[in-house]
Amino acid sequence: MEDSRKWIFVCFDQLSWENQLLAGSTPESTHLIFVETESKPRRRPYHKQKLVLLLSAMRHFAEEARNRGFLVHYVHHPDGYKPPLEKFRNENRVPEIHCLEIQEDEVRMEFQNQEWMVFHDNNLFLSTRDEFFSVFQNSKTYLQETFYRYMRKKWNILMTPDSKPVGGKWNYDSENRSNWKSSDPYPPHPPWVKPDSITRKVMDLVEEKFPDTYGNLDHFGWPVTRKDALEWLEHFIKNNLVYFGKYEDAMSEEEPFLFHSLLSPLIHLGLLHPREVILRALEEYESPQGISIPLESVEGFVRQILGWREYMRHIFHIHKEDYKLANYFRHTHPLPSVYWGEKSGMKCMDSTIQTILDYGYSHHITRLMVLSNFANLLGVDPEALNEWFWFAYVDAYEWVVTPNVKGMGTYSDGGICSTKPYIASANYIKKMAPGFCKSCSYKATGLLEDNACPLNSLYWNFIGENENHYSSPGRRDFSWSTWKQFPEEKKDAIRKKAKSIRKQFLKKKSVREQK
Ligand code: FAD
C-alpha cells in the first residue's frame, strides 16, 4: 500500500521552519528526510569548520524536528543525495518527494529529469527570477543599483510615505570608507558558541575522516542552532551595527572581523531568514530607546542583504554557463601556496590567510582587495581562485561564491556584475589598513627595490599587460594615463620585477596547463 504521508527532503541549506513545505505541514502527516553524504567533501577539500557547521546544523535541526513530532529519516550515504532518496522511494512506494528549489547546482543536477522529485519555490530568498527579469526587461546589462532600488520599493524598506528613499539618497556607499585605528571604537568580538555534544561528535568525525582538509577546528564557535543564530544576530544589532557603515571598507590586522556581522553562513543555511535580519536592523534604527544607528550603517547593511545577496544569486543562475569558462584577462597561473598558509612575508596576505585557516571567514574587503587582488595581479586562473574560495570559506556555496570571485573579485566575467576590475597597489592597502603595512616586511612605498611591496610592480604591470582593456574609451582612468607617461626603461624595469615576483610565488604549473 502506498504511504499517504508527505515526504520532504530537507537539503542542508534549507534548515528553516519558514521553509514553506515545513510551515504548511503537520508532524503526523509528514516524513522529513535528511542526507549526510561523503560525496560532497570528496569533491573539494572544504574547510573543516564548514563541514562541522553544515553537519552539526543539520543534525541539530533534525533533532528539533523529532522533538516537534515529525518522522525523521536521517540517512548517511557515501554517494550523494539521489541514491538514498531513490531507495526510500522504492521501499516505501512513495510517488513523490518534495523539496524547495535547490541552490547548489552540483546537488540539483543529481535530480535532473527525476520527475518524482517535486521542487517548490524557495521562499528562503526575497526575490524570484521572474521578478529579476521584469526589472531588466528593456536593458542589456544588469545593474545592481537598479535591482536594489526595486527591492527597496517592493519591500517598502527605508522609504518615505511618498515613495522616496529615506534621507534623500538611495545609497550611502561614499560614507562607508573610513579606515580603523586602535584609538577608534573597539569592535566587540563575535560571541563564539561553545560546541555542545552534537557538535563535538561531528568535530571528531571530521578530524577522523578528513584530517587533511583545509583549515583547523581549534576556534570552532559558529552557531549551529536557530536559538544561537538569533543570539548572534542580536549581538550584531546591539553592538556592531552602529559602526557597520563607517568601517565597512576598513581592514585591520589586530581586529580581523571589525564591525561585520558574520551572518552570511547562518543565513545561507536557513538558520536566519534574510527578511528577519533586515527587519531587526530597521527596528533598531527606528527605535527611540536604542543607541542611535546612523542611516549610512543601516542602509549599508540593508544594501548588502536586500541588494547584493539577492542580485548575485540571480546573476549566477542566469550566467552560470558563462561563468564556467569566464577568463576575461586570460589568466592561466596556478594559485600560489600562500593561499594554503605558506608565509609570503606580505602582512595583508599572511594575516588574512591565517584568519581563514582559523575561522573559515574573512570579511568582504579582505576577500576583494587582498586575496582576489593579489591573485588577479599575479595572473592566477580565475577557476583556481574560485575553487579555493569555495572550499576555504564557511559561507561559500557555488551560487554566491562564483559571481563574487569571477565577477566582482577578478572581473573575469568581463563586467557582468562590476563596472571595472578592482585592482590595487600597496597604496590602497596602506590607506585602508595602515596596520598591515606598518608591520610588514615589505615597504609599501617602494616600487623596484628588493623590499618593495610586490603589489606595486604587479599593479603597474597589470595595467601594462592589459592595455587593450584600459585604452578603450570610457576606461582610460588615471592609472592608465600614468602608465602611458612612464618612460620605456621604467616600464621594462616594472615588467622585469613583476616577472621575478611571479616566479617567486608561482612554482607550480597552471591548472589548465596540467589538463
Ligand atoms: P557583512 O559585511 O556583515 O554583510 C552583511 C550581509 O550581506 C552578509 O552576511 C551577506 O549575506 C550579504 N552580502 C554582502 N555582500 C555580499 C555579496 N557581494 N554577495 C552576496 N552577499 C553579500 N559571500 C558569501 O556569502 N559567500 C561567499 O562564498 C562569498 N565569496 C566572496 C568572494 C569574493 C572574492 C568576494 C569579493 C566576496 C564574496 N562574498 C561571499 C561576499 C561577501 O564578501 C560576504 O557575503 C561577506 O563578507 C560575508 O561576511 P559578513 O556576513 O560578515 O558580511
Side-chain angles (χ1 to χ4, degrees), residues 29 108 116 139 184 292 300 309 316 347 367 414 442 470 474:
S29 63
R108 194 193 358 222
W116 50 270
S139 155
D184 287 329
S292 149
R309 184 172 184 272
F316 172 73
K347 200 62 171 196
R367 297 186 207 206
Y442 289 103
Y470 287 102

Side-chain angles (χ1 to χ4, degrees), residues 336-388:
S337 45
V338 172
Y339 288 73
W340 273 263
E342 193 177 289
K343 297 295 175 214
S344 67
M346 295 162 72
K347 200 62 171 196
C348 54
M349 282 298 296
D350 294 345
S351 164
T352 304
I353 295 287
Q354 194 56 51
T355 303
I356 299 162
L357 289 165
D358 289 343
Y359 300 97
Y361 171 93
S362 79
H363 66 71
H364 185 70
I365 300 302
T366 48
R367 297 186 207 206
L368 184 66
M369 300 312 290
V370 175
L371 303 168
S372 300
N373 181 46
F374 187 49
N376 214 14
L377 295 184
L378 280 173
V380 168
D381 182 341
E383 179 65 14
L385 184 68
N386 197 53
E387 275 291 305
W388 178 83

Side-chain angles (χ1 to χ4, degrees), residues 92-105:
N92 296 282
R93 301 214 269 147
V94 179
E96 290 171 342
I97 296 182
H98 299 262
C99 180
L100 290 189
E101 203 180 68
I102 294 175
Q103 297 304 305
E104 282 283 82
D105 250 28

Side-chain angles (χ1 to χ4, degrees), residues 442 448-453 497:
Y442 289 103
L448 298 170
E449 306 81 349
D450 282 349
N451 69 345
C453 175
K497 174 90 178 164

Side-chain angles (χ1 to χ4, degrees), residues 106-138:
E106 288 178 347
V107 182
R108 194 193 358 222
M109 292 309 279
E110 289 194 36
F111 297 104
Q112 218 178 17
N113 302 325
Q114 304 299 313
E115 277 159 19
W116 50 270
M117 184 58 125
V118 183
F119 289 111
H120 299 254
D121 283 348
N122 191 324
N123 65 324
L124 304 180
F125 290 90
L126 299 170
S127 58
T128 64
R129 187 101 38 93
D130 288 349
E131 228 178 336
F132 189 82
F133 282 130
S134 76
V135 174
F136 293 107
Q137 57 184 334
N138 295 320

Side-chain angles (χ1 to χ4, degrees), residues 131-344:
E131 228 178 336
F132 189 82
F133 282 130
S134 76
V135 174
F136 293 107
Q137 57 184 334
N138 295 320
S139 155
K140 286 198 184 109
T141 51
Y142 305 118
L143 208 61
Q144 192 277 148
E145 184 67 22
T146 309
F147 181 65
Y148 169 54
R149 291 182 188 186
Y150 163 82
M151 292 292 276
R152 286 266 298 272
K153 288 187 221 155
K154 172 188 166 184
W155 289 94
N156 192 22
I157 285 172
L158 292 174
M159 301 299 295
T160 61
D162 57 345
S163 297
K164 300 263 170 13
V166 166
K169 279 200 313 185
W170 287 98
N171 186 317
Y172 291 83
D173 197 23
S174 58
E175 286 161 52
N176 299 153
R177 292 179 191 153
S178 295
N179 66 17
W180 180 85
K181 298 175 285 318
S182 46
S183 52
D184 287 329
Y186 230 77
H189 291 176
W192 300 109
V193 181
K194 194 164 173 252
D196 65 4
S197 61
I198 295 181
T199 302
R200 283 201 306 275
K201 226 170 154 181
V202 178
M203 288 166 86
D204 291 345
L205 177 125
V206 167
E207 289 289 19
E208 188 198 316
K209 292 213 163 181
F210 308 101
D212 301 323
T213 194
Y214 199 76
N216 66 68
L217 286 178
D218 302 347
H219 306 274
F220 186 90
W222 292 100
V224 290
T225 63
R226 164 117 179 112
K227 180 177 157 287
D228 288 340
L230 282 170
E231 281 174 22
W232 193 268
L233 169 63
E234 209 45 36
H235 174 88
F236 167 74
I237 298 288
K238 289 287 182 202
N239 301 289
N240 300 35
L241 180 59
V242 58
Y243 293 118
F244 177 86
K246 183 169 182 188
Y247 299 113
E248 197 178 345
D249 282 5
M251 295 181 279
S252 158
E253 187 204 348
E254 296 153 64
E255 294 298 326
F257 310 114
L258 285 170
F259 295 91
H260 290 272
S261 69
L262 284 78
L263 286 168
S264 53
L266 314 182
I267 302 175
H268 295 340
L269 288 177
L271 296 179
L272 294 171
H273 196 287
R275 189 196 56 250
E276 75 183 325
V277 172
I278 291 171
L279 291 182
R280 183 65 194 91
L282 291 175
E283 184 188 28
E284 195 65 19
Y285 168 69
E286 283 158 7
S287 159
Q289 281 94 36
I291 25 165
S292 149
I293 309 286
L295 181 55
E296 80 253 18
S297 275
V298 76
E299 187 281 318
F301 185 65
V302 163
R303 184 176 356 117
Q304 305 311 319
I305 299 183
L306 191 66
W308 279 110
R309 184 172 184 272
E310 295 288 319
Y311 171 83
M312 285 306 207
R313 181 174 73 108
H314 296 305
I315 289 291
F316 172 73
H317 287 301
I318 294 166
H319 285 288
K320 62 187 165 202
E321 292 308 320
D322 307 324
Y323 272 124
K324 286 198 176 102
L325 297 173
N327 195 352
Y328 180 77
F329 292 118
R330 296 166 194 252
H331 287 162
T332 55
H333 290 298
L335 195 69
S337 45
V338 172
Y339 288 73
W340 273 263
E342 193 177 289
K343 297 295 175 214
S344 67

